[in-house]
Amino acid sequence: MLEELQIPTGDAAAEILPRLVSVLAGASPAVLPVPATDEREAQRLRDALVPGTEIEAAAALVVATSGTTGTPKGAMLSASALRASGNATHDRLGGPGTWLLALPAHHIAGMQVLLRSVLANTDPVILDVGAGFDPSELPAAVARMSGRRYTSLVPTQLVKALDDPAATEALTQFDAVLLGGAATPVPLRERAVAAGISIVRTYGMSETAGGCVYDGVPLDGTRLRIDSGHIDSGRVVLGGATVALGYRGWPDHPAFAEHGWFRTDDAGRLTDGVLSIEGRLDEAISTGGLTVVPQVVEAALATHPAVRECAVAGLDDTRLGQRVVAAVVASSAVTLAELREHVALTLDPTAAPRELYLVDALPMRGPGKLDRARLRAVLQTLAPHR
């Protein structure tokens, strides 16, 4: 039977730790985490994943994918998958330690911080992010931690922290700052490393119990292959001990058609055993008969000194099919011509944005993931910047 597990915010989140001990031991009915302070989201998860009904016997935790359009899918994770993920993480990072929770714990990245704390037999330090992430709270949080210190952040949180000198200094006290949930622009990573922060880039998803590839190298127990055949890259396929049993109520989903493997929607390549992600297969832009991967253009734009954050999308175009446009959170004045010239330094001119939209913030879904569908909808209501 799948049981609902209400997740409070702030220090009260520690109240669920005894239940997580049972979950990791495989001694608890499967649980569905839902936010205790967001009834709308909680009801959306209840409607889609139906707590109070029977579930596969091996399932210990059902984590919803972070998409906000349509019906969310629930990845069914076994206790052994959760233990394998936590133990492999500690092995890669240099041993168990104290974890700081700075993400919503009903998502896999936040939940894993609590599960790793249980495995390490340490008490997590918890920030209240119910009203958003406040980097000014980091110094006091770090002061409460002992031994090896770890945390997990998304890139938008790192941007905020680097704008606060005290928060930046606090992050240098961590033995590892896991950074995932979305692609990390190279300038952001370089800025963090220059400040002395030990960044570890993670790749994974709810279907793999969270991050299972660190700095491009699979964790122990994780298998990785590239299936060729799309936009000059291959589909990333993940296997091994941390892969979910499947989706709740969807036994024949093609992503899990091969036992023990999960077919992602990401395009990537392996170079000397190191994985690089090139973008989402389902987000490629077809413009004038050519294919443009938004994440590749975003990586190029992010190296411009005036670009603080950026996102690329394809808007309908009667001549081209789709036109490439860019939404930019700028740190200084910038023009479309400047950005087009900058992108053309490293990419084909076809990839350069044809329109520029200056925005205050990018729309997000889940923990730090760009909501590209919402971005397209918003941009269609705005006038481009010239």
Side-chain angles (χ1 to χ4, degrees):
M1 185 77 71
L2 179 63
E3 296 185 356
E4 178 178 318
L5 179 61
Q6 294 264 332
I7 310 292
T9 58
D11 288 338
E15 296 171 1
I16 71 168
L17 290 173
R19 183 63 181 275
L20 297 185
V21 172
S22 297
V23 168
L24 280 172
S28 164
V31 297
L32 169 68
V34 302
T37 57
D38 186 344
E39 179 57 26
R40 180 178 178 181
E41 175 64 6
Q43 190 58 51
R44 189 176 78 96
L45 298 179
R46 292 185 197 111
D47 291 343
L49 302 173
V50 200
T53 58
E54 293 297 323
I55 190 170
E56 186 170 334
L61 177 72
V62 175
V63 183
T65 56
S66 58
T68 56
T69 58
T71 302
K73 299 187 291 290
M76 299 186 295
L77 297 164
S78 67
S80 62
L82 297 172
R83 293 194 301 268
S85 175
N87 289 331
T89 293
H90 288 143
D91 288 346
R92 177 65 61 86
L93 298 181
T98 304
W99 285 85
L100 171 69
L101 176 62
L103 294 167
H106 64 286
H107 291 295
I108 189 61
M111 176 58 65
Q112 280 288 33
V113 167
L114 297 181
L115 291 169
R116 292 172 193 141
S117 298
V118 171
L119 284 172
N121 197 29
T122 57
D123 294 326
V125 175
I126 301 173
L127 296 184
D128 191 337
V129 293
F133 172 66
D134 183 355
S136 68
E137 296 178 355
L138 283 173
V142 172
R144 296 167 54 194
M145 303 175 73
S146 59
R148 295 186 66 81
R149 299 183 180 97
Y150 304 126
T151 192
S152 184
L153 301 177
V154 295
T156 52
Q157 291 176 311
L158 182 60
V159 169
K160 291 181 179 180
L162 287 172
D163 288 340
D164 182 320
T168 300
E169 172 60 27
L171 288 181
T172 67
Q173 305 305 306
F174 285 88
D175 293 272
V177 175
L178 306 188
L179 198 62
T184 303
V186 172
L188 176 61
R189 185 168 74 247
E190 291 177 341
R191 185 181 169 197
V193 171
I197 301 171
S198 298
I199 294 295
V200 177
R201 292 174 294 116
T202 70
Y203 171 71
M205 53 281 299
S206 299
E207 294 88 344
T208 60
C212 59
V213 179
Y214 284 14
D215 287 330
V217 180
L219 295 179
D220 290 347
T222 293
R223 293 177 290 171
L224 167 65
R225 74 168 194 257
I226 303 295
D227 285 357
S228 61
H230 196 60
I231 56 173
D232 299 323
S233 298
R235 182 185 299 271
V236 178
V237 186
L238 298 168
T242 68
V243 170
L245 302 167
Y247 290 126
R248 173 158 169 78
W250 205 334
D252 300 321
H253 195 282
F256 291 99
E258 185 179 1
H259 180 70
W261 292 85
F262 173 68
R263 291 174 58 81
T264 78
D265 285 323
D266 294 320
R269 66 177 71 246
L270 279 173
T271 305
D272 296 328
V274 177
L275 174 68
S276 58
I277 300 299
E278 306 207 329
R280 296 273 299 182
L281 296 170
D282 55 358
E283 291 178 348
I285 300 168
S286 179
T287 180
L290 300 175
T291 299
V292 174
V293 180
Q295 292 85 350
V296 173
V297 184
E298 289 162 1
L301 286 170
T303 62
H304 191 284
V307 175
R308 188 168 186 264
E309 296 179 74
C310 65
V312 169
L315 298 185
D316 291 341
D317 188 280
T318 55
R319 181 173 67 88
L320 299 170
Q322 289 179 303
R323 63 185 181 278
V324 179
V325 306
V328 170
V329 179
S331 57
S332 59
V334 67
T335 67
L336 174 64
E338 291 170 353
L339 292 183
R340 284 183 56 83
E341 182 179 356
H342 185 75
V343 169
L345 293 175
T346 54
L347 301 178
D348 187 280
T350 304
R354 295 176 178 272
E355 292 176 351
L356 168 64
Y357 296 83
L358 297 179
V359 297
D360 294 329
L362 300 176
M364 296 292 174
R365 58 178 176 83
K369 294 180 184 293
L370 175 68
D371 189 337
R372 214 173 291 273
R374 185 173 159 213
L375 174 68
R376 286 193 294 269
V378 169
L379 295 185
Q380 289 169 348
T381 69
L382 301 177
H385 180 77
R386 300 296 181 186

